[in-house]
Amino acid sequence: MARTQTPPDECPQCWQHAHDRSIHRRLRPREDCGPCVDHMVNGCPNRVPKKKSSWW
């Protein structure tokens, strides 16, 4: 069974879709999940952006 609490710095939707198989079970073979595709294309609105790394 998947954890019910989303870890810190993780998007709740991404976490749930990655760890709860029942969400994608209703999809046909080779059918994409709309919310997952939206996150891949537009990014995750719930994720904190990373700091820009600089080596100097």
Side-chain angles (χ1 to χ4, degrees):
M1 183 173 193
R3 288 177 51 181
T4 56
Q5 293 283 359
T6 304
D9 298 330
E10 291 285 340
C11 170
Q13 180 179 339
C14 291
W15 178 258
Q16 185 180 15
H17 279 239
H19 298 318
D20 187 0
R21 292 179 180 231
S22 67
I23 294 171
H24 295 127
R25 190 168 287 149
R26 64 178 172 76
L27 298 175
R28 292 177 300 186
R30 301 185 55 84
E31 182 181 3
D32 292 328
C33 174
C36 289
V37 172
D38 181 54
H39 268 59
M40 286 188 285
V41 172
N42 299 319
C44 216
N46 301 323
R47 179 172 278 163
V48 178
K50 282 185 162 182
K51 287 183 178 180
K52 188 174 180 181
S53 72
S54 177
W55 59 274
W56 50 61

